Amino acid sequence: MAVTYRAKGAMQLELSVAIAATFMVAAFIVDWPRALAGLALGAICRFLPYGTVTVPLGVVLVSAVAEFLYPWFGRTTEPHFWSFFIGIFAVAGTASSLYITIRNLKDRL
């Protein structure tokens, strides 16, 4: 019985890692600078208390800051509301995926 449970748990872990990797790849395709910022945010939030609160707040903050910095770097002409939402997907796709994957791996080990 224990072997079956272990195999089932390992399969669930592999599936969750595959889903997280898919979201990360999609986020990099959509907007790679914000996706890199999301990776940094997910790694930093892993060491902060209340990560389940700091990740969503950080996602919105990083996306908003990037939206106002993009025109300065010449990536866009002006801040736009829809670009902000696309940025939220890019940052959240990497930050939350990395945060949750690290948490699940830590719980398994």
Side-chain angles (χ1 to χ4, degrees):
M1 193 71 148
V3 174
T4 306
Y5 177 73
R6 264 188 144 176
K8 183 179 178 183
M11 189 65 136
Q12 289 174 349
L13 179 64
E14 291 171 357
L15 180 63
S16 67
V17 170
I19 291 170
T22 303
F23 277 117
M24 284 187 183
V25 168
F28 271 97
I29 290 171
V30 170
D31 191 0
W32 69 268
R34 290 186 209 189
L36 284 176
L39 280 176
L41 176 69
I44 290 169
C45 286
R46 183 63 207 127
F47 300 106
L48 296 176
Y50 307 109
T52 55
V53 175
T54 56
V55 169
L57 292 176
V59 164
V60 172
L61 182 67
V62 167
S63 183
V65 168
E67 190 61 32
F68 288 107
L69 288 179
Y70 273 4
W72 193 54
F73 291 125
R75 190 162 164 91
T76 60
T77 57
E78 62 184 12
H80 197 269
F81 194 64
W82 293 113
S83 177
F84 171 71
F85 281 120
I86 291 171
I88 285 179
F89 167 74
V91 176
T94 54
S96 63
S97 294
L98 182 67
Y99 178 77
I100 291 169
T101 302
I102 291 172
R103 185 188 65 196
N104 289 345
L105 287 174
K106 186 177 177 184
D107 290 344
R108 298 276 184 204
L109 300 177

